[in-house]
Amino acid sequence: MSPLRNSRKSGLKISYGNLRSSDNSTVVTAARSAGSGTLQGSLSATAVNGVATFANLSHNVANTINLSFSSSGLTNATSANIVVSPAAFTQLQLLVPGETAAPGSASGKTGTPSAQIVGTGFGVTVNAVDAYWNLVNTVTDTVGLTSSDTSATLPAAAALAAGTANLTVYFNANGSFTLTATDLSNGSKSPSTSPAITVSGAQFTAATGGGAIPADGASPAPSPL
């Protein structure tokens, strides 16, 4: 399913497995059991002729889940595993140090960018994702990076492998700069711009160890004036 959007039915049965077709009042609640992500839609349904129908359940995180159905005083029922696949590729996702992918969330990621040092390389990740920020691992488009730091050293354009690319960037100026990932193969895909990344010069570190050498202990002895 891509992502899960489906109708589910839960039949109400007596202890011998027969349908209680006279039941028109039992309320059944659905919940995600295995997997991750939030089950969406109308999560409760009232039985009609012994069958509770869930017409608009959806799940926006691509992974393997199952559903649990419960009702007060009744034994729970659990569905078989359901594989939720990514939807169509619609946009790029750029992750910089300090950020982590979070499919199904509003922004698709968590965390804040880590500060960087002038002239020190750091890795970024570019993902091909669907509208819900799930990785689409069949995409091989070529992507490129640009930066608001016009002096930055940027990697050459690269093809995504299994929907992702890991690239190295160097900022070469002090300040606060952004990076933008663009799909060079298909301009209809939305680019992704990072939050501002703070960049500072390398910090001076005092030398440690060693000691002073007295003049009368120098070898050879210093020449007299």
Side-chain angles (χ1 to χ4, degrees), residues 28 41 54 62 65 68 82 87-89 92 101 103 114 119 121 152 171 181 190 204 214 221 225:
V28 181
F54 296 82
I65 67 172
S68 176
I82 303 166
F89 168 41
L92 294 179
S114 303
F171 285 131
S190 298
F204 170 76
L225 297 177

Side-chain angles (χ1 to χ4, degrees), residues 57-201:
L57 296 181
S58 65
H59 196 270
N60 294 336
V61 178
N63 67 140
T64 299
I65 67 172
N66 61 34
L67 303 180
S68 176
F69 299 92
S70 61
S71 184
S72 178
L74 300 179
T75 302
N76 291 358
T78 301
S79 75
N81 285 346
I82 303 166
V83 177
V84 183
S85 301
F89 168 41
T90 61
Q91 57 190 336
L92 294 179
Q93 178 188 57
L94 174 63
L95 299 173
V96 300
E99 295 182 320
T100 302
S105 65
S107 65
K109 56 186 176 181
T110 61
T112 56
S114 303
Q116 300 299 320
I117 302 298
V118 169
T120 300
F122 61 95
V124 302
T125 299
V126 181
N127 293 325
V129 296
D130 65 14
Y132 309 102
W133 305 103
N134 295 295
L135 177 69
V136 183
N137 62 11
T138 57
V139 178
T140 58
D141 289 11
T142 298
V143 298
L145 291 181
T146 57
S147 175
S148 61
D149 173 12
T150 57
S151 66
T153 302
L154 301 173
L160 299 173
T164 191
N166 296 304
L167 307 172
T168 302
V169 174
Y170 294 79
F171 285 131
N172 295 319
N174 292 327
S176 183
F177 306 107
T178 60
L179 292 168
T180 298
T182 303
D183 190 324
L184 303 179
S185 299
N186 188 340
S188 70
K189 307 305 180 184
S190 298
S192 179
T193 298
S194 72
I197 303 169
T198 300
V199 184
S200 58

